[in-house]
Amino acid sequence: MSLPSFDGYDSTGIEHYSIPSFKFVSGASLDIRISYRSFNPSGGKAVIIPTCYGGRINDTLNFMGENGVLAACHVIVVAMLGNGESSSPSNEPDFPKSLDYRDCINSQYELLTKHLGIKELEAVIGFSMAGQQAYHWACMYPQFMKYVVPICGSAKTSVHNYAFVEGPKAALTNSIDYQDGNYRSKGTKPSRGLRAFGRTYCPWALSAAWFREGCYQDLGYKEVEQFIQAEWEDKFEKAWDAEDMLILARMWQAGDIGKTQQDGDYLKALQAIEAKVLVMPARTDTYFPPEDSENEVKYLKHGELAVVETIWGHMAGGGANPKDTKWMNDRIAQFMDSKALDLSAMKEAMDK
């Protein structure tokens, strides 16, 4: 089983953990590999950050830079199943046809507890699909972490979000070179389909205001067409496998923490979360709009809402704009520190 091999892939510091006969929610059983990177392993409190859709371990925002809120922590960035680094359709021919967020969390839990010897987490932080994983962590292992920070994510994928994902999926699967999924047997790559996927995905990832103000020019592109081709078509074609993209897209669409409950009620699942949760949507995110987050926070016992005021749309949550990244870093620091202070004050009051 190999890591992605495209030009420019960064494998620095990546390690692997094998889990024999891992049982998937679908009932399938397979020997799997979880890829991860430990940052500051001798640090204090442990924090896990899963990868997002389109994300790799070493391009995941980890809040460990200068003045980073997690600079003193042991941060484990883990590749979710299906992303091409951990076990995925691209590197495991017998990989199951369906994938569930619960599969990702169960495998990550085993990595932490059985391999890294971690008994508790300070926090689970994640952007986009990793935000959805953070919610699942809170439901599946409620006593294992103190804080949960879903950034531009949701506890349940909305109908509108589901409909959006159908567009890029259709662009890929209906391309002539996808060949109804038979391209591998013919030794080809669905390049046209991958490029169509990227072109369809692009306008949703950023806001109308971002395009209207010509922010692509700040990235060095004179025309929007240059931006679309270089940042979306080229990168998806070069860096991603079609089946990895599709299995992750289907998992995204099916995201629902209600599945962690016997009755399937995701609102009850929200109400049952014990961790302190900082929900961070972006004001102009069209995938996970702030209105959805506002509704979810109402059901959390210990929930706070912090909207990122930005025109960078969904991409703001992944670190695309330094100004937004600094704001998120500072707000997470405030959230975690203030809660620690509150608990300390409460203990002192009880001792008196």
Side-chain angles (χ1 to χ4, degrees), residues 177-331:
D177 54 358
Y178 182 71
Q179 302 179 68
D180 294 326
N182 296 315
Y183 63 93
R184 280 183 177 169
S185 64
K186 299 182 181 180
T188 60
K189 181 177 182 177
S191 295
R192 289 177 62 173
L194 291 167
R195 295 183 71 83
F197 186 102
R199 179 171 284 269
T200 308
Y201 201 101
C202 170
W204 287 78
L206 298 147
S207 75
W210 189 91
F211 284 97
R212 184 166 55 248
E213 295 185 19
C215 292
Y216 50 85
Q217 295 176 346
D218 298 333
L219 301 178
Y221 300 102
K222 184 177 179 180
E223 303 293 339
V224 69
E225 181 62 28
Q226 297 172 331
F227 167 71
I228 295 172
Q229 289 182 14
E231 296 293 331
W232 297 91
E233 290 188 339
D234 291 353
K235 289 186 176 181
F236 272 109
E237 179 188 9
K238 179 179 78 169
W240 280 90
D241 175 84
E243 300 310 316
D244 289 354
M245 292 167 60
L246 290 170
I247 201 168
L248 290 182
R250 291 192 293 267
M251 181 166 67
W252 172 357
Q253 289 179 301
D256 181 359
I257 61 170
K259 294 177 182 178
T260 67
Q261 307 295 304
Q262 288 188 343
D263 62 3
D265 189 329
Y266 99 100
L267 295 180
K268 289 182 180 178
L270 282 170
Q271 292 170 332
I273 292 175
E274 295 293 338
K276 298 168 180 65
V277 185
L278 178 64
V279 182
M280 301 187 77
R283 178 65 67 191
T284 51
D285 189 346
T286 52
Y287 303 158
F288 303 96
E291 293 82 1
D292 291 347
S293 297
E294 290 169 5
N295 184 62
E296 290 178 350
V297 169
K298 294 177 184 177
Y299 295 90
L300 293 169
K301 294 177 183 176
H302 314 289
E304 293 184 25
L305 180 72
V307 181
V308 186
E309 299 295 346
T310 179
I311 65 169
W312 279 73
H314 185 66
M315 299 302 292
N321 180 28
K323 180 180 178 181
D324 297 330
T325 301
K326 181 181 185 305
W327 187 89
M328 290 188 293
N329 180 83
D330 294 348
R331 186 63 182 84

